[in-house]
Amino acid sequence: MSLWKLLTVAFMVTLVQQINGQALSNKDTLDAAGKVSLSWTTGTDSITFEIQAPTTGYVSLGLSPDGTMLQADMAVGWVIGGKAFLDDRFSAAYEQPSNKERQDYTLISGTEVGGITTLRFKRKLVTGDAKDRDITPGTIHVIYAFHDADPTGSSNITYHGKETRGSKTVTLLSSP
């Protein structure tokens, strides 16, 4: 990628972040190549996430008991024609996570700029939903995946593949 193109993409991503609201107070890179990033800010009883991935398809972020998708609480989002979508899902097996009846994630914004999808959303730290993972002080396993295709319906998400998924242990909420 040329320096000019790289600077243009960086400028556009920064501009989108400013349009979407204030910068979030925490940031971590989720993959070894440094292409997938997660930012977050916690409030009194909620957390705001922003995930960026090199795709114009869907992006998912999950909270997992062990770094796999089994029993993971997930948000799956995408942007089509400038309109962002976000589903709250639960993964009971190594298969497409099911759309939950109760939607605890709230979409704030979503953009596609320069081949990068950025999704910002929030939820309560403790939702009371048995299919959600409570966010408490200490480390938690965060999982992610992305694919170049947008879902064609709520039950039709293309398998992401082995190269576009991963996990990392992070501290989303520090001890008081």
Side-chain angles (χ1 to χ4, degrees):
M1 182 181 285
S2 74
L3 179 59
W4 175 250
K5 196 172 194 180
L6 184 62
L7 289 172
T8 301
V9 169
F11 172 76
M12 294 302 292
V13 168
T14 302
L15 182 62
V16 167
Q17 288 173 337
Q18 290 175 353
I19 291 169
N20 286 344
Q22 294 181 306
L24 303 181
S25 58
N26 304 284
K27 186 171 185 173
D28 204 346
T29 301
L30 299 182
D31 65 325
K35 294 182 178 182
V36 180
S37 67
L38 177 66
S39 300
W40 69 94
T41 294
T42 55
T44 306
D45 66 348
S46 65
I47 186 167
T48 299
F49 292 106
E50 183 174 277
I51 187 165
Q52 290 185 329
T55 186
T56 56
Y58 75 81
V59 178
S60 67
L61 177 70
L63 306 176
S64 165
D66 60 4
T68 70
M69 68 183 291
L70 289 177
Q71 303 300 308
D73 169 20
M74 301 174 131
V76 180
W78 60 97
V79 179
I80 298 177
K83 183 176 179 184
F85 300 87
L86 187 77
D87 288 341
D88 185 355
R89 293 176 173 258
F90 180 75
S91 180
Y94 290 108
E95 59 190 26
Q96 179 175 288
S98 59
N99 214 355
K100 291 176 30 194
E101 187 172 313
R102 179 174 160 177
Q103 296 288 298
D104 293 300
Y105 288 96
T106 302
L107 177 66
I108 298 170
S109 63
T111 58
E112 289 178 354
V113 176
I116 297 172
T117 296
T118 303
L119 298 169
R120 186 177 279 208
F121 49 94
K122 68 179 185 175
R123 63 156 263 204
K124 293 198 174 293
L125 295 171
V126 177
T127 66
D129 184 340
K131 292 186 176 179
D132 285 341
R133 305 213 67 75
D134 290 348
I135 298 171
T136 57
T139 59
I140 190 167
H141 297 282
V142 173
I143 61 174
Y144 70 89
F146 59 94
H147 192 276
D148 287 336
D150 289 316
T152 57
S154 63
S155 63
N156 193 9
I157 296 176
T158 304
Y159 173 62
H160 45 72
K162 293 182 179 182
E163 300 300 317
T164 54
R165 69 172 187 205
S167 68
K168 187 169 186 177
T169 303
V170 298
T171 301
L172 295 175
L173 183 62
S174 298
S175 298

